[in-house]
Amino acid sequence: QVQLVESGGGLVQPGGSLRLSCAVSGSIFSMNAMDWYRQAPGKQRESVARIWSGGRTNYADSVKGRFTISKDNVKNTVYLQMNGLKPEDTAVYYCRSWGPSGDYWGQGTQVTVSS
């Protein structure tokens, strides 16, 4: 069973930065991809960033140029570096891992951008 645990959320001022981490209990090497999603109050969960097993990345238009997804296959950890944060980035951020063995989600970490 694969378990994902996010960390790194918190309160930050507009323009600030945070780095989220997603520690995976199993190996991420065999997964097709690792994703970050977010869900703001009253809104649907949306995809933020994806990193494929080969390292290729995809981003939502709203975060391109500000967010960077990366991974460490040795540490089985995926990161989301968030720069230039805006109030509209406020949400619960979730990590997702999916592939032949299943589709797994973390419990989420709160990110609040406010002055």
Side-chain angles (χ1 to χ4, degrees):
Q1 183 72 15
V2 176
Q3 291 185 326
L4 285 68
V5 179
E6 301 97 334
S7 62
L11 173 64
V12 63
Q13 292 186 343
S17 298
L18 283 175
R19 188 177 81 153
L20 305 183
S21 299
C22 174
V24 184
S25 62
S27 172
I28 65 174
F29 185 77
S30 62
M31 292 296 179
N32 288 354
M34 300 287 299
D35 302 340
W36 284 98
Y37 281 73
R38 67 186 181 187
Q39 188 167 19
K43 294 188 177 181
Q44 290 189 329
R45 191 172 296 188
E46 63 175 356
S47 175
V48 173
R50 169 171 291 168
I51 186 164
W52 296 90
S53 58
R56 182 167 56 92
T57 58
N58 300 107
Y59 296 94
D61 287 342
S62 59
V63 306
K64 279 181 181 177
R66 300 188 298 123
F67 290 10
T68 303
I69 188 171
S70 62
K71 63 177 179 172
D72 186 327
N73 287 338
V74 175
K75 295 182 178 180
N76 289 332
T77 301
V78 178
Y79 305 96
L80 185 68
Q81 178 67 44
M82 305 186 294
N83 299 327
L85 283 162
K86 305 175 181 180
E88 51 263 43
D89 294 318
T90 295
V92 178
Y93 284 71
Y94 297 90
C95 179
R96 176 195 182 203
S97 172
W98 58 275
S101 65
D103 190 346
Y104 306 94
W105 292 80
Q107 82 290 346
T109 186
Q110 176 71 45
V111 172
T112 302
V113 185
S114 175
S115 56

